[in-house]
Amino acid sequence: GAGVSQTPSNKVTEKGKYVELRCDPISGHTALYWYRQSLGQGPEFLIYFQGTGAADDSGLPNDRFFAVRPEGSVSTLKIQRTERGDSAVYLCASSWDSYNEQFFGPGTRLTVL
Amino acid sequence: AQRVTQPEKLLSVFKGAPVELKCNYSYSGSPELFWYVQYSRQRLQLLLRHISRESIKGFTADLNKGETSFHLKKPFAQEEDSAMYYCALSYDTGNQFYFGTGTSLTVIP
């Protein structure tokens, strides 16, 4: 079956612009995670959704970052007023619930010039 | 606070030699520990988790609460084991996951 998909695969933007990153989880998975991976680092937890609600957003670095999952399926990570330090690979993962294996997407590489 | 530490960024072993990838964690509660692997040009995927106590692709990992470690071991490394390995920790609520910085394993033919 189809795995987790993320679009776009690459995004280049200018400092100060707004970007949206999309994640399509595996059908039926209720748990969805966003991570950020900078060069040479492991994935850094950003936010966790259980269904439609953000069960834990403690990893979001500041109020420029926001994520939604309005219908409990597709999720969008939104970054306002992008900064060069936001450049990273943004990973999405989904699972049946928070205690099960996470399936990762291919990531979106964000470059802020 | 660094919750998961992988002290080796790079590790090279010869084919057929034993391999151990180190992972230490800092958490006083009841953690769940995982090893994830990323092969070249592939997605990050689960290798094993401590509660299942399985051996996957010949790899095993034992949770040592006294030493707060969860080292990954394989008695005889294979070339196809070359990959990036990440140790990860989840609190018992399963809400947050913390990954280490990863160890790049190269198995020399």
Side-chain angles (χ1 to χ4, degrees):
Chain A
V4 178
S5 61
Q6 292 186 245
T7 53
S9 55
N10 279 284
K11 176 70 178 178
V12 180
T13 191
E14 293 180 344
K15 180 175 179 294
K17 298 289 188 182
Y18 167 82
V19 296
E20 289 190 353
L21 311 179
R22 176 186 167 109
C23 171
D24 282 83
I26 292 172
S27 178
H29 281 190
T30 61
L32 186 145
Y33 300 80
W34 281 100
Y35 297 88
R36 176 171 69 175
Q37 187 170 22
S38 301
L39 195 62
Q41 301 297 314
E44 172 194 6
F45 169 81
L46 295 178
I47 186 169
Y48 157 67
F49 287 91
Q50 180 59 46
T52 60
D56 192 324
D57 64 357
S58 61
L60 295 177
N62 51 60
D63 61 6
R64 295 187 298 106
F65 288 74
F66 189 71
V68 295
R69 194 186 185 198
E71 297 178 359
S73 178
V74 171
S75 177
T76 304
L77 178 65
K78 308 180 181 193
I79 310 174
Q80 298 177 321
R81 305 183 302 280
T82 52
E83 299 177 356
R84 293 194 179 88
D86 298 335
S87 296
V89 174
Y90 289 81
L91 296 168
C92 175
S94 71
S95 65
W96 288 110
D97 60 43
S98 62
Y99 296 97
N100 280 278
E101 174 183 357
Q102 292 184 43
F103 292 85
F104 281 80
T108 293
R109 183 175 298 279
L110 175 66
T111 303
V112 182
L113 301 176
Chain B
Q2 186 65 37
R3 294 173 176 83
V4 181
T5 304
Q6 293 180 252
E8 302 139 331
K9 281 284 227 190
L10 303 170
L11 183 63
S12 294
V13 299
F14 285 100
K15 178 182 172 182
V19 61
E20 180 179 67
L21 291 85
K22 291 185 169 53
C23 172
N24 288 88
Y25 65 91
S26 56
Y27 181 60
S28 57
S30 299
E32 284 202 47
L33 275 297
F34 307 80
W35 277 97
Y36 278 80
V37 61
Q38 188 166 25
Y39 300 103
S40 179
R41 290 184 291 278
Q42 293 189 26
R43 304 178 183 197
L44 197 58
Q45 59 186 281
L46 179 68
L47 179 62
L48 54 80
R49 58 192 300 181
H50 88 273
I51 60 170
S52 60
R53 303 187 70 82
E54 304 177 284
S55 172
I56 306 294
K57 299 184 178 182
F59 284 98
T60 58
D62 290 319
L63 177 60
N64 185 325
K65 291 189 177 182
E67 296 182 357
T68 59
S69 68
F70 188 57
H71 302 328
L72 184 68
K73 300 177 183 179
K74 185 170 182 177
F76 307 103
Q78 302 299 314
E79 290 177 64
E80 56 265 30
D81 297 329
S82 295
M84 193 75 181
Y85 291 81
Y86 294 96
C87 182
L89 173 153
S90 171
Y91 296 151
D92 50 9
T93 60
N95 285 6
Q96 301 177 16
F97 275 76
Y98 296 93
F99 284 80
T101 52
T103 297
S104 177
L105 174 66
T106 300
V107 180
I108 304 165

